[in-house]
Amino acid sequence: MAEPIDVVITGAAGQIAYSLLYQIAAGTVFGPQQPVNLRLLDIPPMMKVLDGVVMELEDLALPLLREVLPTAEPAKAFNNVAAAFLVGAMPRKEGMERKDLLAANVEIFKVQGEALDKYARKDVKVLVVGNPANTNALICSHYAPSIPKENFTAMTRLDQNRAQAALATRLNVQVDQVKNVIIWGNHSSTQYPDAAHATVTLSSGVKAVSSEINDDEWLNNIFVTMIQKRGAAVIAARKMSSAMSAAKAAGDHMRDWWFGTKPGEWVSMGVVSDGSYGIPKDIVFSFPVTIKDKRYEIVQNLPINDSAKSKLDITSKELEEERTEANNVLKK
Ligand code: NAX
């Protein structure tokens, strides 16, 4: 069996981590042959809660789970880590403006970027879940100059999974029969869930989702809005934000990064833009990617029509604005 890898989860006492930790410890993310040491980072007031999480991890009695370290110190949490799930973030409180939320989180992700730079492995794979995820990932990478920019990603996999499930329901097929739906842009309500390139496997063969559904109004408007607002719909019903599905998506994202995508399939990840599809460079933008040998490549040359292009512009403008706001905070 392989040597254990060190994996950090921030926000480890929170609700997403509660579902995510089990997946990592059980081998769903890094595989059934890979033992893991868990580094659990949270803030000092949460240490008691974290003790309870550690007890539960022990009680899972899982053979792949080796050391577990609960801590409030980034220097300890990030030491030698091969993978980082940055889940913890300052939540939006009542009366808080988007700007204030961004300011609080920029500080958190600056500190964590510096800690990654100093203590983590140089090939560490970083997945930012905490919101605003795309801009947090950008800030984090900025403060970790010794780690390649492509090692910093933001999660849009939950949006992808939601979109895939919605298309499968509409087509009345099993969810794994639908492939290659894309989430473009920001993990926010400006994201563009795009079914134009998605396929569905039917008994008659592989078909375009758009021709099977054959309803432009639904595909271009109703479906797009449904996915953009799905997070809010879950909060309205559950009185808490998505946690089980967010944790599953974080596991999916890291597993595909670790083991690669299947032939002919792509997944959506927020990655530092290289200018593909005319998206401005140096923002973390969700693109379709294929992954091999732990390296991703943005899928190129997909046809983008005018309506799609205008949706890409809206979400990339929002990300440029977030970057400007974040830089203003950091200059202060
Ligand atoms: P919780 O409030 O349950 O947990 C967050 C945890 O982070 C808390 O235990 C808190 O003490 C901790 N924390 C705060 N500051 C920290 C710091 N500086 N270092 C370490 N830990 C810190 O939130 P939860 O529901 O788990 O959500 C976590 C984040 O995921 C939020 O920012 C949320 O908005 C974001 N989400 C992102 C999604 C995505 O698709 N990218 C979807 C789900 C979720 O909304």
Side-chain angles (χ1 to χ4, degrees):
M1 188 157 284
E3 285 295 304
I5 50 167
D6 297 323
V7 177
V8 62
I9 297 92
T10 74
Q15 56 154 0
I16 293 178
Y18 193 73
S19 292
L20 176 59
L21 290 170
Y22 172 72
Q23 293 177 58
I24 299 171
T28 324
V29 180
F30 299 104
Q33 303 298 326
Q34 180 58 68
V36 289
N37 297 324
L38 293 181
R39 311 270 182 254
L40 310 180
L41 183 71
D42 212 295
I43 51 177
M46 297 305 284
M47 287 301 110
K48 189 109 184 88
V49 175
L50 205 49
D51 285 344
V53 175
V54 173
M55 285 186 237
E56 284 211 67
L57 282 166
E58 269 172 40
D59 298 347
L60 290 172
L62 285 167
L64 288 176
L65 181 57
R66 304 294 161 87
E67 294 163 22
V68 179
L69 176 77
T71 180
E73 292 174 47
K76 287 188 181 155
F78 288 96
N79 190 32
N80 193 43
V81 291
F85 294 85
L86 306 187
V87 182
M90 172 77 82
R92 194 170 190 150
K93 294 185 189 126
E94 239 182 300
M96 204 176 192
E97 302 238 340
R98 208 171 72 103
K99 251 207 215 130
D100 305 329
L101 181 76
L102 193 81
N105 282 299
V106 161
E107 290 300 334
I108 293 175
F109 284 84
K110 177 182 174 200
V111 169
Q112 295 186 356
E114 288 168 344
L116 280 159
D117 196 50
K118 259 196 188 154
Y119 304 110
R121 277 168 49 161
K122 297 301 168 203
D123 62 352
V124 61
K125 308 265 172 289
V126 182
L127 165 58
V128 178
V129 176
N131 280 320
N134 299 51
T135 298
N136 288 341
L138 185 71
I139 300 304
C140 201
S141 111
H142 183 76
Y143 284 95
S146 68
I147 297 168
K149 281 199 179 323
E150 58 266 27
N151 293 27
F152 291 82
T153 62
M155 186 167 97
T156 51
R157 185 58 171 266
L158 175 55
D159 307 294
Q160 178 194 314
N161 288 349
R162 287 167 171 165
Q164 189 181 338
L167 293 174
T169 302
R170 167 79 193 212
L171 288 160
N172 198 21
V173 298
Q174 222 172 267
V175 72
D176 56 348
Q177 287 170 250
V178 174
K179 296 191 173 75
N180 294 351
V181 60
I182 299 170
I183 304 298
W184 300 94
N186 200 1
H187 169 70
S188 77
S189 57
T190 67
Q191 66 176 258
Y192 173 36
D194 176 9
H197 313 281
T199 61
V200 55
T201 308
L202 300 172
S203 51
S204 52
V206 177
K207 310 281 177 187
V209 159
S210 53
S211 51
E212 288 305 310
I213 291 182
N214 196 20
D215 180 345
D216 285 350
E217 164 61 14
W218 190 86
L219 281 167
N220 296 332
N221 296 312
I222 297 170
F223 163 73
V224 171
T225 310
M226 188 195 334
I227 303 309
Q228 289 171 335
K229 296 192 172 160
R230 183 69 164 184
V234 170
I235 294 175
R238 211 173 83 88
K239 312 288 176 236
M240 285 199 281
S241 56
S242 309
M244 178 169 51
S245 56
K248 154 70 166 53
D252 287 348
H253 177 123
M254 189 62 85
R255 188 197 57 241
D256 286 346
W257 200 355
W258 213 256
F259 291 107
T261 44
K262 294 183 197 139
E265 284 187 35
W266 57 67
V267 292
S268 294
M269 278 171 41
V271 303
V272 178
S273 169
D274 62 355
S276 293
Y277 296 97
I279 301 303
K281 288 186 182 176
D282 203 30
I283 53 175
V284 170
F285 191 92
S286 180
F287 288 101
V289 301
T290 53
I291 308 167
K292 202 174 164 222
D293 300 329
K294 296 193 170 69
R295 296 181 73 84
Y296 57 77
E297 276 182 25
I298 296 172
V299 176
Q300 297 295 332
N301 300 322
L302 294 171
I304 305 287
N305 65 23
D306 287 347
S307 151
K309 177 82 184 70
S310 67
K311 291 182 171 116
L312 296 192
D313 285 347
I314 291 170
T315 192
S316 65
K317 282 216 170 66
E318 184 183 50
L319 282 165
E320 287 185 300
E321 282 164 23
E322 283 186 16
R323 181 183 58 193
T324 305
E325 282 171 26
N327 284 335
N328 288 342
V329 173
L330 292 166
K331 270 191 225 135
K332 276 183 197 155

